[in-house]
Amino acid sequence: MALNVELLGLLACPKCHGGLVLLPGQDGLFCAACAVVYPVREEIPVMLAEEAAPLAKWTGSQPSKG
């Protein structure tokens, strides 16, 4: 089962309320305004500000630590 792209269009960044872009690997949602990625785990977007990873530290569905 894949993510429903139509429903993803309804989601907004919890920090700035801007639009999100699904990453090619479908493992994260990118907010260009905040330069963060929200992880997608088991096909469920984790839309918590504290779970967001800076784009520079994003390594896939698990953000790098440090």
Side-chain angles (χ1 to χ4, degrees):
M1 183 176 229
L3 291 171
N4 186 324
V5 179
E6 290 179 22
L7 291 179
L8 289 176
L10 300 174
L11 294 177
C13 174
K15 291 181 180 182
C16 73
H17 307 288
L20 299 167
V21 176
L22 182 62
L23 296 178
Q26 293 193 350
D27 60 350
L29 294 168
F30 174 63
C31 174
C34 296
V36 297
V37 178
Y38 294 92
V40 174
R41 297 186 186 126
E42 297 179 19
E43 299 178 4
I44 299 171
V46 181
M47 302 304 298
L48 301 171
E50 53 272 0
E51 290 287 324
L55 182 60
K57 293 186 178 186
W58 181 254
T59 59
S61 60
Q62 298 297 321
S64 65
K65 301 293 181 189

